[in-house]
Amino acid sequence: MSTSIILLLTACSAKAIDPMEFAGQFKDKFSTEIKGDGIKLFVYSAKLATAADRNINDATNRPPIDRRKQDARSYAQEMRDKQEFLELWTQQVQIGLEKTIAMTGYCKQGFIELSRYIEPERGEIRGECNDGATDEDINTFGR
């Protein structure tokens, strides 16, 4: 009986990401740099939009959680929720980068990830394109 519960919980947590879950909730930026020798670099950064960014009046004024009054079970659940959110956010940043690369056509032959920094409300991925810059790339993206 306990085995079926574990399998059910695992199946629920492994659902496919829906990009629409973050629709309108984050801001992203794609910066490019083409070096003199034709190497194409980029930085993709994303952050969760604040209530002000989304023109929402955030007057919730929630009091901070008093950890001394929080029991171990609720704290463990809070940590699981934060981890689940971070995993979802990491996937969203990756999807945002992939869609941006596809829309701009910047890395026509894929890219190598140079660094990745993801935290709960912001993320940044730096990379280098596998293809060198063409004259068209230089005209479109500059140096």
Side-chain angles (χ1 to χ4, degrees):
M1 172 122 178
S2 63
T3 307
S4 61
I5 292 173
I6 292 171
L7 292 174
L8 179 62
L9 291 175
T10 305
C12 291
S13 65
K15 71 173 186 151
I17 185 172
D18 180 4
M20 294 309 292
E21 290 183 34
F22 281 94
Q25 296 183 29
F26 75 98
K27 297 169 71 173
D28 61 352
K29 180 179 176 186
F30 186 65
S31 304
T32 62
E33 180 182 5
I34 298 177
K35 299 287 190 180
D37 55 0
I39 292 175
K40 299 187 325 187
L41 303 171
F42 66 85
V43 177
Y44 177 79
S45 56
K47 72 173 193 131
L48 280 180
T50 63
D53 291 334
R54 295 182 286 168
N55 295 322
I56 298 172
N57 183 8
D58 187 19
T60 54
N61 295 333
R62 292 182 208 127
I65 296 172
D66 185 354
R67 297 279 182 224
R68 293 171 297 179
K69 294 180 181 178
Q70 187 177 26
D71 65 8
R73 230 183 246 164
S74 66
Y75 179 75
Q77 182 61 46
E78 182 182 338
M79 293 299 103
R80 280 191 298 276
D81 291 347
K82 284 183 177 182
Q83 182 62 35
E84 187 176 301
F85 174 81
L86 186 59
E87 289 171 11
L88 186 64
W89 175 239
T90 299
Q91 291 174 20
Q92 185 60 39
V93 171
Q94 182 67 39
I95 288 170
L97 171 61
E98 290 168 4
K99 287 185 177 280
T100 300
I101 295 260
M103 287 185 333
T104 61
Y106 189 63
C107 297
K108 295 171 185 67
Q109 298 174 9
F111 63 90
I112 299 167
E113 190 173 299
L114 300 176
S115 68
R116 174 183 290 238
Y117 180 76
I118 308 286
E119 60 182 22
E121 295 184 2
R122 64 188 180 122
E124 178 181 278
I125 299 175
R126 294 176 178 269
E128 178 181 332
C129 298
N130 292 334
D131 54 309
T134 63
D135 290 338
E136 181 184 340
D137 289 330
I138 292 169
N139 290 335
T140 304
F141 301 104
R143 281 209 181 256

